[in-house]
């Protein structure tokens, strides 16, 4: 699907708010259809190995991103979009917006941003694309039943930068012009997103002065890739004119200093470890953290120590991990030096530290004493941070690992009732039922998990297994019958949409192996293996373009 391009944010808080535009395009792509489309794409992105399904990172990104959204009245639109922010593993500086309020950031961009204001500039720009409905406006008179085939064509076209006869065949088939029309947001759309993003930053209390420097970093980072991008993809250039416009707008605004949260530094440490999980990647991360620990800033020092803790845990050294975590906590809790006046109260990043402490204990499955401590810590953390989904999952995981199956089952069933679309809850619940030997309930839980991921046929298969299970009660059979009718109706709807492939059986339609750089160049023999990779890489162009179709 056409994705809003990725660039930073610009434009003054004093300028009049731009209206949220709709127009006749909404007849063909309504806000509800946009959301549905984004959800279908997200189902496959979540299955990808480079989707960073990391609790602390996801919670930080969504807390941070939704604070920006809330600073802009009406940003959620008439459909009241529930924005979702996530990170994908990629070494290029970029970000993109999917239809319906799903916004992705490359891990490299998260690491490159030196302040939260710089990160806010990127997210604000992407929110601007969603607010102004650039996706719907770009599609124009395309019919809804043509959207999915169009996405496949765009994916194939973006694959052409890496070669491959199949991808080149898209152009030979005469599809280039149609795709170009879908991608051509135009510079006016970029300026709209710039202004919205700038307003969001100002209203949310962020410092806008770092925007130009970060824009220039992004521009320079993509210049080496400009010769690989087809000319018709260069529709959203980050031109010198636009950068100058940002500079002029910033000069009109008073300087606003904003302290960065400790969570920002700790999340970047996690992302650095997860960015490259090879031996070389771990060695580079270790050297970075060691240098970071030597810095005078308490936040930098704590982030380096925390990074060493997370890295040690990933390498299987839980003793070192706990030691480094204790050092990071000591740095955070250490009072400022005597005689220092006007020191801002330090935030403690308590949620991340609590989650990591539990994480380290859960990494020791054979130590029953440690697992018992994990249960107690997770219970206390869940009571203290009831809105943390990551800690909620850890509490279930801890009870399962400690063999407290009955307690885990009761807790997870309650969670499933409260959060009906939480895939992780159903997965953990299925494992609990498996250890209890409750086969029918295990397959029912898996059916819900697959259904939430878009795997309708897989969910129906699990319901069939549940029906045949020897322990299936009369109540279970009734539940299976009712759920089967719902999923079969969904299946008929999927098959009834002209030209739409079944998202459960045709996972490669959006399934992605997110590669880049040298690895991406070597993937030309399989041009359709990484569609999301084509979205992320295929639209970095001349003049430092940072675009997404």
């Amino acid at each position: 699907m056409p994705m809003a391009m990725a660039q930073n944010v610009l434009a003054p808080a004093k300028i009049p708010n731009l209206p949220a535009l709709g127009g006749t395009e909404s007849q063909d792509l309504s806000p509800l259809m946009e959301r549905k489309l984004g959800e279908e794409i997200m189902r496959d992105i979540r299955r990808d190995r480079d989707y960073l399904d990391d609790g602390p990172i996801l919670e930080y990104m969504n807390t941070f991103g939704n604070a920006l959204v809330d600073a802009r009245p009406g940003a959620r639109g008439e459909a009241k979009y529930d924005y979702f922010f996530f990170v994908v593993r990629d070494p290029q500086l970029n970000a993109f917006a999917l239809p319906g309020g799903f916004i992705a950031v490359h891990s490299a961009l998260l690491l490159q941003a030196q302040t939260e204001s710089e990160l806010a500039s990127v997210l604000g720009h992407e929110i601007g694309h969603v607010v102004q409905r650039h996706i719907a406006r770009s599609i124009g008179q395309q019919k809804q039943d043509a959207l999915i085939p169009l996405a496949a064509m765009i994916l194939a076209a973006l694959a052409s930068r890496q070669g491959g006869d199949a991808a080149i065949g898209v152009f030979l088939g005469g599809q280039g012009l149609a795709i170009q029309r879908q991608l051509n947001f135009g510079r006016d759309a970029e300026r709209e997103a710039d202004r919205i993003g700038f307003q969001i930053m100002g209203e949310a209390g962020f410092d806008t002065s770092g925007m130009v420097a970060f824009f220039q970093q992004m521009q320079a980072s993509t210049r080496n890739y400009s010769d690989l991008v087809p000319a018709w993809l260069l529709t959203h250039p980050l031109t010198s004119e636009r950068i100058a416009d940002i500079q002029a707008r910033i000069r009109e605004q008073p300087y606003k200093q904003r302290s960065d949260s400790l969570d920002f530094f700790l999340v970047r440490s996690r992302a650095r470890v997860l960015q490259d999980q090879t031996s070389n990647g771990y060695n580079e991360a270790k050297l970075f953290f060691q240098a970071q620990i030597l810095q005078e800033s308490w936040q930098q020092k704590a982030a380096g120590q925390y990074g060493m803790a997370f890295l040690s845990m990933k390498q299987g050294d839980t003793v070192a991990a706990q030691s480094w975590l204790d050092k990071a906590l000591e740095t955070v809790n250490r009072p400022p030096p005597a005689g220092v006046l006007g020191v801002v109260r330090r935030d403690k990043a308590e949620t991340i530290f609590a989650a990591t402490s539990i994480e380290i204990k859960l990494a020791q499955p054979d130590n029953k004493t440690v697992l018992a401590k994990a249960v107690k810590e997770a219970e206390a953390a869940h009571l203290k941070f009831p809105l943390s989904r990551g800690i909620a999952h850890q509490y279930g995981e801890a009870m399962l690992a400690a063999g407290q199956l009955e307690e885990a089952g009761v807790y997870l069933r309650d969670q499933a009732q409260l959060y009906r679309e939480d895939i992780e809850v159903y997965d953990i619940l299925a494992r609990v039922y498996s250890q209890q030997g409750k086969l029918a309930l295990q397959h029912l839980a898996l059916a819900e998990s697959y259904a939430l991921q878009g795997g309708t046929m897989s969910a129906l298969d699990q319901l069939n297994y549940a029906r045949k299970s020897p322990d299936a009660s009369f109540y279970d059979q009734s539940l299976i019958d009712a759920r089967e009718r719902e999923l079969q109706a969904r299946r008929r709807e999927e098959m009834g949409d002209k030209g739409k492939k079944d998202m459960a059986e045709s996972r490669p339609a959006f399934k992605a192996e997110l590669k880049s750089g040298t690895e991406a160049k070597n993937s030309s023999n399989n041009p359709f293996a990484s569609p999301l990779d084509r979205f992320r890489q295929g639209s970095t162009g001349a003049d430092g373009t940072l675009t997404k179709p």
Side-chain angles (χ1 to χ4, degrees):
M1 275 308 75
M3 293 179 177
M5 46 258 99
Q7 283 160 66
N8 296 349
V9 180
L10 347 152
K14 292 182 179 179
I15 68 173
N17 287 343
L18 294 174
L21 301 180
T24 58
E25 307 87 5
S26 62
Q27 298 175 5
D28 292 301
L29 187 62
S30 68
L32 291 178
M33 184 60 186
E34 275 191 84
R35 183 68 181 188
K36 181 179 178 181
L37 190 57
E39 288 172 347
E40 288 180 344
I41 299 172
M42 280 302 300
R43 289 183 186 122
D44 287 286
I45 290 178
R46 285 190 176 100
R47 287 194 289 259
D48 190 87
R49 65 180 177 85
D50 282 333
Y51 169 74
L52 292 189
D53 189 12
D54 181 81
I57 291 178
L58 284 173
E59 287 190 20
Y60 170 79
M61 290 298 297
N62 282 280
T63 300
F64 185 81
N66 278 288
L68 291 171
V69 173
D70 292 338
R72 169 79 181 187
R76 299 188 186 277
E78 58 187 274
K80 303 299 180 184
Y81 286 149
D82 184 11
Y83 280 75
F84 182 75
F85 299 84
F86 62 100
V87 179
V88 292
R89 185 184 292 107
D90 194 293
Q92 294 184 26
L93 298 183
N94 217 336
F96 57 84
L98 291 167
F102 298 94
I103 295 176
V105 171
H106 289 194
S107 55
L109 189 147
L110 179 60
L111 295 177
Q112 187 68 26
Q114 299 301 304
T115 66
E116 287 187 306
S117 293
E118 291 185 355
L119 178 60
S121 68
V122 178
L123 297 184
H125 181 92
E126 297 306 324
I127 294 169
H129 283 303
V130 177
V131 170
Q132 295 304 102
R133 303 207 61 224
H134 289 152
I135 295 171
R137 291 159 60 191
S138 71
I139 290 176
Q141 297 302 312
Q142 285 289 332
K143 300 299 182 183
Q144 292 180 7
D145 59 6
L147 294 177
I148 296 298
L150 175 61
M153 287 193 297
I154 294 173
L155 297 175
L158 293 179
S160 66
R161 70 184 288 269
Q162 300 174 13
D165 294 339
I168 295 174
V170 174
F171 301 105
L172 298 180
Q175 303 296 337
L177 180 60
I179 297 171
Q180 180 181 6
R181 289 171 180 161
Q182 302 309 312
L183 297 178
N184 188 20
F185 285 88
R187 297 188 181 186
D188 288 342
E190 282 300 288
R191 291 191 181 99
E192 285 180 2
D194 292 345
R195 295 186 182 104
I196 294 292
F198 195 94
Q199 290 168 355
I200 288 173
M201 286 190 69
E203 291 162 3
F206 287 93
D207 174 19
T208 59
S209 64
M211 295 168 59
V212 171
F214 197 58
F215 265 43
Q216 291 171 340
Q217 290 183 56
M218 297 177 74
Q219 184 183 58
S221 72
T222 55
R223 193 162 289 133
N224 293 334
Y225 300 97
S226 60
D227 60 336
L228 300 175
V229 183
W232 53 267
L233 278 176
L234 306 182
T235 54
H236 318 104
L238 183 56
T239 61
S240 299
E241 174 190 355
R242 287 180 59 205
I243 293 178
D245 181 56
I246 302 166
Q247 290 173 320
R249 295 180 186 280
I250 290 174
R251 283 195 292 269
E252 297 175 1
Q253 305 301 314
Y255 175 71
K256 183 182 294 183
Q257 187 175 13
R258 184 184 187 278
S259 299
D260 295 318
S261 69
L262 179 59
D263 299 73
F264 171 68
F265 294 95
L266 301 187
V267 161
R268 291 170 72 242
S269 293
R270 291 184 73 93
R272 189 172 300 279
V273 174
L274 297 174
Q275 166 86 339
D276 183 356
Q277 299 188 75
T278 64
S279 297
N280 287 337
Y282 281 166
N283 288 336
E284 290 179 2
K286 182 178 180 179
L287 292 175
F288 181 90
F289 295 141
Q290 288 174 338
Q292 195 175 23
I293 291 170
L294 299 178
Q295 297 188 31
E296 294 184 4
S297 165
W298 70 271
Q299 288 178 317
Q300 295 286 356
K301 183 183 294 293
Q305 293 166 332
Y306 177 85
M308 288 296 294
F310 188 58
L311 176 61
S312 298
M313 189 197 68
K314 285 294 184 181
Q315 292 178 318
D317 190 346
T318 55
V319 174
Q322 187 62 56
S323 175
W324 279 112
L325 187 67
D326 292 340
K327 292 177 182 178
L329 282 166
E330 181 183 351
T331 298
V332 172
N333 294 323
R334 183 181 303 135
V340 177
L341 301 178
V343 176
V344 178
R345 182 179 178 273
R346 295 182 177 182
D347 62 294
K348 304 291 186 176
E350 292 179 280
T351 308
I352 294 182
F353 276 115
T356 307
S357 178
I358 299 167
E359 195 174 12
I360 292 172
K361 292 175 175 61
L362 291 177
Q364 306 173 59
D366 298 327
N367 192 325
K368 299 302 181 183
T369 302
V370 171
L371 291 178
K373 292 180 180 179
V375 173
K376 291 182 179 180
E377 280 191 27
E379 182 180 15
H382 181 56
L383 291 173
K384 189 172 184 178
F385 310 109
L387 297 181
S388 171
R389 298 310 303 149
I391 287 178
H393 299 155
Q394 285 183 319
Y395 186 27
E397 291 276 9
M399 285 189 285
L400 172 61
Q404 300 179 14
L405 303 181
E406 289 297 330
E407 296 90 338
V410 172
Y411 165 75
L412 291 167
R413 283 191 293 271
D414 288 342
Q415 289 291 303
Q417 288 294 319
L418 292 171
Y419 303 92
R420 294 180 179 274
E421 296 188 0
D422 192 329
I423 297 170
E424 186 72 16
V425 166
Y426 287 107
D427 287 340
I428 302 172
L429 188 56
R431 289 158 52 201
V432 170
Y433 286 143
S434 175
Q435 290 199 20
Q436 290 178 317
K438 298 179 179 179
L439 298 181
L441 293 177
Q442 175 192 351
H443 291 302
L444 277 168
L446 286 174
E448 294 304 317
S449 174
Y450 290 142
L452 288 170
Q453 297 177 67
T456 307
M457 287 302 298
S458 297
L460 287 169
D461 288 341
Q462 289 298 320
L463 290 178
N464 189 40
Y465 297 145
R467 177 180 288 105
K468 296 178 181 179
S469 298
D471 60 341
S473 66
F474 176 79
Y475 174 79
D476 294 335
Q477 295 287 0
S478 300
L479 182 62
I480 292 167
D481 290 340
R483 195 69 179 104
E484 186 177 56
R485 285 192 294 271
E486 294 174 1
L487 292 177
Q488 285 176 342
R490 180 197 292 183
R491 170 70 173 171
R492 286 192 296 270
E493 180 184 352
E494 291 172 348
M495 296 301 293
D497 288 343
K498 182 180 178 181
K500 183 186 288 188
K501 295 182 180 180
D502 185 286
M503 300 299 291
E505 294 183 334
S506 302
R507 290 167 63 174
F510 288 104
K511 178 65 177 175
E513 288 185 46
L514 312 185
K515 301 176 182 177
S516 57
T518 305
E519 186 180 6
K521 295 177 183 178
N522 294 333
S523 64
S524 58
N525 292 332
N526 188 12
F528 295 103
S530 300
L532 181 57
D533 187 41
R534 253 73 83 186
F535 272 125
R536 297 179 308 162
Q537 296 179 11
S539 49
T540 51
D543 299 322
T545 302
L546 289 174
T547 70
K548 285 297 160 188

